[in-house]
Amino acid sequence: GNEAPPAIISVFLGSQLSTIYDAIESGAVSPSSEGQLINLGVSHLPDISKDYTDRNRTSPFAFTGNKFEFRAVGGSANVSIPLTFLNAAAADCFTACSERLKGLIAKKGNRDEAVMELVRELTKETKPIRFEGNNYSEEWKQEAKKRGLPMLPSTVEALAVLNDSKQTQFLVRTKVLSEQEIHSRYHVAVERYNKTLEIEFNTLVQMVHGYVLPAIEEQLKRSADACLPSLPTSAKKKQEQRIQQLGGLLGDILTSLESLEAALGTSAKETDEAKRMHAYKYELTPIADSVRAASDHAELLISEDLWRIPKYREMLFNISQT
């Protein structure tokens, strides 16, 4: 839910396709534009101009001229899993549409009219997922909520979908996955999430104890030694403020670290993986964030020779520590 992929799945069609769908919904005729045309093979549909769209890189599903570009898979994820789900969803939808089309043909007696009627129905039904704006904006979150669209801001909420039989039934209907296989994937994903965060939390604790705290303590000693009685009053006052700032950071880190270690001990006793996942996300992660924030601040105040781990600017510019 940070940058790509967005936490809300929607579709960007572009101005041309949006105009066409709006015209289909209202029953009006939309004129085609100039350029290379794609004939859809149905007489009532207007021709669609090929490559008639701009790009929307905030959209998880963006029409890019003659295809839809799917941009909602994280960099560390295996793309085959979401593609499997997408193909299964499309197959299930085509099956359902085929049955609806048969009923409309029987009712209307004309295939083209039945197709247009079905497209019109689907256009109205799927209209809430069409969005042309900035998918990362706060306004879109509010609008999506009004439209009743699901919002999955983290892995915790996303994995919970696998436990919803209503939302996963299409995988069973298409025989892509059985209910047992879906549950297995859920439990494996939850366990992997928990183990990953547990490793990260313990690594954070070790790094802070081994690198950050000793650096702050040594810097405090140096700063205290430099606060000599012979210093001018103004300089001494500033040095005392610096010592107080470092001492405050040390206290903040020690307090947050103590809370994190205690929470880790409590979570280790939790046998329910789902409950542990929620605890890691909503209890331990905020504590870890506070440890990280204080450590980041300390990095700016500690002498180069005392800070033994790479600084952000060094990682950014790929400068080796010698």
Side-chain angles (χ1 to χ4, degrees):
N2 300 304
E3 288 295 321
I8 307 164
I9 298 298
S10 62
V11 174
F12 168 79
L13 298 179
S15 56
Q16 174 73 353
L17 271 184
S18 292
T19 301
I20 291 171
Y21 272 102
D22 289 341
I24 290 173
E25 182 181 354
S26 65
V29 177
S30 174
S32 62
S33 64
E34 296 180 359
Q36 188 174 358
L37 302 178
I38 302 173
N39 194 316
L40 299 180
V42 181
S43 60
H44 288 70
L45 278 177
D47 291 330
I48 299 175
S49 174
K50 186 177 180 180
D51 296 326
Y52 190 93
T53 183
D54 53 355
R55 298 295 299 277
N56 186 338
R57 294 189 177 276
T58 73
S59 176
F61 272 103
F63 185 68
T64 58
N66 57 359
K67 65 184 183 300
F68 281 94
E69 184 180 280
F70 182 48
R71 303 186 63 252
V73 182
S76 62
N78 185 344
V79 72
S80 66
I81 297 173
L83 286 180
T84 297
F85 289 179
L86 282 175
N87 287 332
D92 187 60
C93 205
F94 277 122
T95 300
C97 288
S98 178
E99 293 301 314
R100 290 173 63 174
L101 182 58
K102 290 176 183 177
L104 287 170
I105 291 175
K107 180 180 177 181
K108 292 183 173 296
N110 183 284
R111 181 184 68 94
D112 286 355
E113 289 184 9
V115 168
M116 277 306 304
E117 181 60 31
L118 177 60
V119 172
R120 186 172 291 109
E121 292 176 2
L122 293 173
T123 299
K124 293 179 181 179
E125 292 170 13
T126 59
K127 192 171 184 178
I129 68 169
R130 287 164 46 193
F131 181 65
E132 306 293 303
N134 180 4
N135 283 257
Y136 302 146
S137 66
E138 287 298 322
E139 292 78 11
W140 170 229
K141 292 179 182 179
Q142 299 302 319
E143 175 61 25
K145 188 175 181 180
K146 292 179 183 178
R147 298 186 187 188
L149 300 182
M151 192 179 304
L152 310 176
S154 77
T155 301
V156 173
E157 288 81 12
L159 292 181
V161 175
L162 291 174
N163 257 350
D164 189 332
S165 58
K166 183 179 179 181
Q167 295 193 62
T168 59
Q169 193 57 39
F170 74 96
L171 294 168
V172 179
R173 284 196 299 266
T174 54
K175 299 182 180 180
V176 171
L177 292 174
S178 66
E179 290 185 359
Q180 291 79 7
E181 288 171 327
I182 295 171
H183 289 312
S184 295
R185 285 177 177 269
Y186 167 76
H187 289 297
V188 169
V190 170
E191 183 179 4
R192 181 179 297 170
Y193 178 90
N194 287 343
K195 286 188 179 300
T196 299
L197 262 69
E198 185 177 351
I199 291 171
E200 290 180 353
F201 290 142
N202 281 301
T203 300
L204 175 63
V205 169
Q206 292 176 23
M207 289 183 69
V208 172
H209 275 303
Y211 296 101
V212 178
L213 291 177
I216 297 176
E217 290 164 350
E218 187 61 34
Q219 185 65 62
L220 274 169
K221 289 180 184 178
R222 288 189 183 182
S223 298
D225 291 342
C227 194
L228 301 172
S230 58
L231 282 176
T233 303
S234 58
K236 188 175 181 180
K237 184 177 181 180
K238 293 296 182 183
Q239 186 70 347
E240 288 173 349
Q241 290 175 353
R242 173 178 167 80
I243 294 171
Q244 187 175 8
Q245 185 180 23
L246 286 167
L249 278 175
L250 181 62
D252 291 342
I253 293 175
L254 287 170
T255 300
S256 298
L257 205 58
E258 183 180 16
S259 299
L260 181 59
E261 290 174 308
L264 275 170
T266 302
S267 298
K269 301 174 184 177
E270 179 58 67
T271 57
D272 188 317
E273 290 289 333
K275 289 182 179 179
R276 185 187 296 184
M277 176 175 66
H278 279 79
Y280 280 168
K281 171 61 182 175
Y282 295 108
E283 296 175 20
L284 275 76
T285 297
I287 301 174
D289 286 342
S290 65
V291 175
R292 181 253 176 93
S295 299
D296 286 348
H297 191 185
E299 176 183 313
L300 303 175
L301 304 176
I302 303 299
S303 174
E304 293 286 325
D305 63 311
L306 297 179
W307 195 262
R308 296 172 56 197
I309 51 181
K311 293 195 172 186
Y312 279 113
R313 72 168 192 278
E314 294 169 343
M315 291 187 286
L316 179 62
F317 296 108
N318 196 26
I319 300 175
S320 299
Q321 187 83 359
T322 59

